[in-house]
């Protein structure tokens, strides 16, 4: 038992980076070809074509439209608020989400299965309902004696609510697959609990945590429904980007709306790539 | 190209073709079906109008297809191809969009009511018993009064509210600078700017704020639905005018329906939902949600209008709500940064 090869366990094998050896240009079987065709068609209709349309609309306004839109101080304030709160919420999700996943997988307690099901509620609840519930609980006349409505705290609260499940749900299955043997082996070789966590468990979880964090961040920067009642949409204070975009559309300025949207796409892409790099670094170091 | 790659391409293409075929098969309309597109509140208010029209000679074979939503969204949807024969929106700029798109005739305003089919006035909704004793515009800017009003930038219909506060100062002989000072104080007391009137009402009924700037018909409807609100029509306020039009390619039945909407019977039906009639000779029903159900629409001391006091919507929209240079846009930015 002590001879379990630690190395193969601590370094999760990743299939995304195939070797650079000689590989046929395409090795699709007939079935795989069909699957690829369906995937590409579906993905194009739902994602690639609409995203291209946004970028084209934004570019249609020319460079000037970008500059005017983004140097507008109100838009800039909304961008900073949204990105800042989304990063904060994502950071917190990384910690709390992992802890919740851990508790759900490793511990047994009364109500565990119920909790496991309830975690998904923020996904299922229409966001406007979520906003309404949060407003009733944490707004004026709150039974808890707080009044966070129409403050930055409201933005944080709504984003934390809608993004809670992501890290939990990405980490949970990986944690379930993780074998106790390896941890026991490490422990019997003299590793402390912290070392086991840091050297054995965490590296296996990092890809899942990073994936959850990316989803969580992407969801947070685009949130609209749960915020509109709760945050008050006060310019420079609690107005988020998606509300700003609605404003541009109402004003008939689709180029500005698309410009802001494409900036948010770039921000999302940047954060997702950054998380991927972090994850690879950590996974490689072990 | 290998056989397998060809399979992939063929699968993609056939998928696209199948989808094209689906969209081509849709969309057919019958002669007697009228597509009515309107702003949200009309969803319940239109029902008795439809019933009344179906009892007339012109309307007996007509069926209705309806679509309701935020006025701006509905207008953009029609511009984008939503089928419509008769459209009823909450403010003129949303109609202008359809005129610009060539869907509504340039002369849509040329009838007895200037294209307007329902009207209301800007009002204050307060908590039951009016604990803050809000009676007039000046009470809104007292320190500590918390105001909710929909955001004029994201909700076209919220522009009525802000313009009413401006008219309160300028209409009484005040200068533009005095009006700006007043609106600034109003914005400083504003604790929430929900995206639409409906969401503003929801935020208010959840316990936020002391006063909700709204429309008389919204207040009456909320009270009819059991909300514990009171409302005050200030002595000087702005007339809210909701336009309607028949689309260029609509059938004759649409024009018949438009004519019916302006009859005293139809206007009386709208009055039960809190809308002020736009024609004379309407026998007003008991309006359950009004402050005084038997005299539901008291005439304000001074009633400002968008045409007489602001030179029409086209001017007002640019002057007050332009994204960069509008007076209100700038005041919002100023109060926000100084916040």
């Amino acid at each position: 038992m002590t001879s379990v090869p630690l190395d193969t366990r601590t370094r999760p094998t990743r299939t995304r980076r195939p070797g650079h050896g000689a590989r046929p240009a395409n090795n699709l079987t007939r079935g795989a070809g069909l699957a690829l065709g369906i995937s590409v068609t579906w993905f194009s209709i739902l994602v690639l074509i609409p995203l291209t349309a946004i970028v084209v609309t934004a570019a249609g306004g020319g460079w000037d439209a970008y500059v005017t839109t983004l140097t507008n101080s109100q838009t800039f304030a909304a961008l900073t608020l949204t990105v800042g709160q989304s990063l904060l919420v994502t950071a917190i999700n990384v910690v709390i989400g992992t802890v919740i996943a851990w508790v759900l997988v490793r511990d047994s307690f009364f109500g565990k299965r119920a909790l496991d099901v309830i975690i998904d509620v923020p996904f299922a609840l229409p966001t406007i309902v979520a906003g309404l519930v949060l407003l009733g609980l944490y707004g004026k006349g709150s039974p808890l004696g707080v009044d966070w409505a129409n403050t930055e705290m409201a933005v944080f609260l709504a984003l934390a609510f809608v993004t809670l499940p992501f890290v939990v749900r990405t980490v949970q299955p990986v944690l379930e697959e993780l074998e106790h043997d390896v941890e026991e082996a490490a422990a019997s070789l003299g590793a402390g609990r912290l070392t086991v966590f840091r050297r054995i468990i965490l590296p296996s979880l990092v890809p899942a945590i990073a994936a959850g964090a990316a989803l969580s961040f992407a969801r947070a920067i685009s949130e609209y429904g749960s915020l509109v009642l709760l945050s008050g949409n006060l310019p420079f204070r609690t107005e988020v980007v998606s509300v700003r975009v609605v404003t541009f559309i109402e004003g008939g300025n689709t180029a500005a709306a698309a410009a802001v949207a494409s900036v948010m796409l770039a921000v999302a892409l940047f954060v997702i790539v950054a998380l991927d790099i972090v994850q690879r670094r950590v996974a490689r170091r072990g | 190209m290998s056989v397998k790659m060809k399979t992939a391409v063929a699968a993609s293409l056939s998928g696209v073709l199948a989808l094209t075929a689906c969209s081509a098969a849709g969309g057919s309309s019958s002669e007697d079906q009228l597509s009515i597109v309107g702003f949200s509140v009309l969803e319940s208010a239109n029902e008795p109008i439809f019933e009344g029209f179906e009892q007339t000679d012109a309307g007996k074979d007509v069926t209705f297809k309806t679509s309701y939503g935020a006025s701006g969204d509905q207008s953009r949807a029609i511009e984008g191809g939503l089928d419509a024969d008769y459209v009823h929106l909450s403010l003129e700029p949303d109609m202008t969009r359809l005129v610009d798109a060539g869907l509504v005739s340039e002369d849509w305003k040329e009838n007895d009511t200037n294209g307007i089919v329902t009207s209301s006035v800007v009002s204050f909704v307060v908590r039951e018993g009016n604990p803050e004793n809000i009676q007039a515009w000046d009470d809104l800017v007292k320190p500590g009064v918390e105001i909710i009003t929909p955001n004029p930038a994201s909700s076209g219909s919220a522009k009525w509210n802000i313009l009413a506060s401006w008219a309160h100062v300028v209409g009484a002989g005040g200068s533009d600078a005095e009006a700006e000072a007043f609106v600034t104080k109003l914005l400083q007391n504003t604790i929430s700017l929900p995206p639409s009137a409906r969401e503003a009402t929801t935020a208010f009924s959840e316990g936020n704020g002391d006063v909700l700037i709204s429309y008389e018909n919204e207040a009456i409807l909320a009270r009819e639905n059991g909300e514990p609100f009171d409302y005050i029509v200030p002595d000087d306020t702005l007339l809210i005018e909701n336009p309607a039009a028949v689309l260029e390619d609509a059938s004759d039945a649409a024009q018949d329906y438009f004519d019916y909407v302006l009859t005293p019977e139809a206007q009386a039906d709208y009055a039960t939902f809190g809308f002020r009639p736009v024609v004379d000779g309407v026998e007003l029903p008991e309006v359950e949600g009004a402050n005084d159900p038997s005299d539901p629409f008291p005439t304000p001391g001074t009633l400002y209008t968008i045409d007489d006091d602001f030179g029409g919507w086209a001017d007002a929209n640019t002057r007050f709500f332009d994204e960069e240079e509008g007076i209100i846009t700038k005041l919002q930015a100023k109060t926000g940064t100084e916040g």
Side-chain angles (χ1 to χ4, degrees):
Chain A
M1 178 157 176
T2 48
S3 62
V4 169
L6 263 180
D7 263 358
T8 58
R9 278 291 164 199
T10 52
R11 285 177 197 151
T13 41
R14 295 188 46 89
T15 47
R16 233 195 281 171
R17 297 173 78 199
H20 295 289
R23 217 166 139 260
N26 98 61
N27 58 351
L28 295 174
T29 64
R30 193 170 286 267
L34 188 69
L36 179 66
I38 293 173
S39 308
V40 170
T41 309
W42 194 243
F43 192 67
S44 300
I45 291 168
L46 291 179
V47 181
L48 292 181
I49 298 173
L51 286 191
T52 314
I54 291 174
V55 175
V56 168
T57 313
W63 188 243
D64 283 354
Y66 259 97
V67 174
T68 322
T69 309
L70 298 177
T71 50
N72 177 303
S73 54
Q74 194 176 340
T75 309
F76 191 75
L79 273 167
T80 357
L81 174 74
T82 311
V83 174
Q85 291 293 329
S86 299
L87 287 173
L88 184 63
V89 159
T90 305
I92 285 175
N93 277 336
V94 162
V95 178
I96 306 276
T98 310
V99 170
I100 294 177
W102 181 273
V103 165
L104 285 176
V105 172
R106 291 293 172 95
D107 301 335
S108 52
F109 54 93
F110 177 77
K112 176 176 158 175
R113 301 193 68 144
L115 184 63
D116 196 16
V117 172
I118 292 171
I119 289 287
D120 285 334
V121 166
F123 279 154
L125 204 63
T127 49
I128 188 91
V129 178
L132 199 56
V133 171
L134 293 175
L135 183 62
L137 284 177
Y138 304 111
K140 199 171 186 176
S142 154
L144 303 169
V146 294
D147 184 4
W148 289 332
N150 315 317
T151 64
E152 270 190 31
M153 191 62 199
V155 178
F156 173 80
L157 205 61
L159 296 185
F161 179 85
V162 296
T163 58
L164 169 73
F166 288 106
V167 173
V168 179
R169 284 303 185 229
T170 48
V171 170
Q172 208 179 357
V174 178
L175 209 48
E176 270 163 3
E177 292 299 311
L178 220 59
E179 300 198 17
H180 273 294
D181 298 358
V182 192
E183 292 164 42
E184 283 164 15
S188 69
L189 287 171
R193 283 186 68 87
L194 196 66
T195 313
V196 171
F197 182 77
R198 195 168 55 84
R199 300 291 302 274
I200 312 279
I201 300 172
L202 202 56
S204 318
L205 294 187
V206 162
I209 294 175
L215 287 172
S216 170
F217 179 80
R219 178 77 175 80
I221 57 169
S222 62
E223 180 54 17
Y224 177 75
S226 63
L227 283 166
V228 294
L229 285 177
L230 195 60
S231 77
N233 310 316
L234 298 168
F236 295 94
R237 281 181 273 173
T238 61
E239 190 181 43
V240 295
V241 167
S242 50
V243 171
R244 207 60 199 134
V245 172
V246 171
T247 304
F248 284 129
I249 293 173
E250 183 63 41
N253 193 350
T254 39
V260 176
S262 58
V263 168
M264 294 317 275
L265 280 177
V267 170
L269 200 65
F270 174 77
V271 170
I272 289 168
V273 169
L275 280 168
D276 195 58
I277 291 170
V278 167
Q279 167 231 311
R280 279 163 195 235
R281 284 265 165 81
V282 175
R284 211 178 307 147
R285 237 189 306 148
Chain B
M1 193 191 265
S2 76
V3 174
K4 289 130 191 176
M5 213 48 202
K6 277 183 192 153
T7 321
V9 171
S12 315
L13 284 178
S14 57
V16 171
L17 286 175
L19 277 152
T20 320
C22 288
S23 61
S28 69
S29 68
S30 108
E31 275 286 296
D32 294 320
Q33 192 181 55
L34 279 186
S35 292
I36 308 290
V37 177
F39 61 96
S40 323
V41 185
L42 296 167
E43 181 156 12
S44 44
N46 269 351
E47 288 306 318
I49 313 286
F50 294 161
E51 278 169 31
F53 181 61
E54 280 161 5
Q55 279 157 19
T56 66
D57 283 343
K60 60 182 184 295
D61 295 324
V62 172
T63 56
F64 292 95
K65 194 175 91 178
T66 57
S67 166
Y68 299 105
S71 184
D73 291 343
Q74 294 299 80
S75 164
R76 279 186 292 275
I78 297 173
E79 187 190 24
L82 175 69
D83 183 31
D85 294 309
Y86 169 91
V87 55
H88 186 170
L89 298 166
S90 86
L91 70 169
E92 192 183 310
D94 290 334
M95 192 65 83
T96 310
R97 180 182 290 118
L98 300 180
V99 175
D100 293 342
L103 295 167
V104 167
S105 160
E106 298 262 355
D107 62 4
W108 67 275
K109 283 173 107 173
E110 282 166 26
N111 72 343
D112 294 344
T113 60
N114 218 0
I116 304 303
V117 298
T118 50
S119 72
S120 193
V121 292
V122 175
S123 306
F124 309 145
V125 176
V126 295
R127 305 280 167 208
E128 204 167 19
N130 196 1
E132 298 286 325
N133 194 24
I134 307 283
Q135 301 295 344
W137 285 101
D138 293 327
D139 295 328
L140 299 189
V141 298
K142 286 180 181 161
V145 173
E146 297 188 335
I147 303 170
I148 297 183
T149 179
N151 190 344
S154 61
S155 156
S157 42
K159 290 173 182 169
W160 296 112
N161 301 352
I162 293 288
L163 291 179
S165 72
W166 182 273
H168 161 71
V169 178
V170 173
S175 67
D176 282 3
E178 284 167 325
E180 284 194 22
F182 183 79
V183 174
T184 304
K185 279 196 247 171
L186 192 88
L187 290 171
Q188 279 163 349
N189 273 1
T190 302
I191 58 154
S192 177
L193 291 165
S196 75
R198 188 42 54 82
E199 278 143 355
T201 308
T202 310
F204 186 72
S205 63
E206 280 298 307
N208 271 265
D210 301 315
V211 54
L212 167 73
I213 310 182
S214 186
Y215 328 127
E216 186 185 45
N217 66 292
E218 279 273 342
I220 290 176
L221 195 65
R223 280 160 57 95
E224 281 174 8
N225 291 335
E227 293 284 0
F229 298 155
D230 282 351
Y231 73 94
I232 289 104
V233 177
D235 193 48
D236 58 333
T237 188
L238 181 67
L239 180 67
I240 294 166
E241 297 167 292
N242 315 126
V246 169
L247 276 84
E248 290 274 39
D249 60 354
S251 62
D252 293 346
Q255 185 60 46
D256 292 338
Y257 177 74
F258 184 92
D259 294 340
Y260 176 75
V261 167
L262 289 176
T263 60
E265 299 82 61
Q267 290 290 311
D269 283 334
Y270 274 133
T272 58
F273 288 87
F275 288 106
R276 295 190 171 215
V278 297
V279 299
D280 293 331
V282 177
E283 207 169 302
L284 284 178
E286 289 268 309
V287 180
E288 200 194 318
N291 281 335
D292 179 357
S294 58
D295 179 19
F297 305 121
T299 312
T302 313
L303 194 56
Y304 304 110
T305 65
I306 199 82
D307 286 338
D308 294 343
D309 298 279
F310 293 94
W313 263 112
D315 286 354
N317 233 351
T318 320
R319 183 171 172 221
F320 291 92
F321 302 107
D322 181 85
E323 270 168 22
E324 296 290 335
E325 296 302 319
I327 292 174
I328 304 299
T329 314
K330 283 181 166 176
L331 289 182
Q332 275 196 308
K334 199 175 118 209
T335 47
T337 41
E338 286 169 1

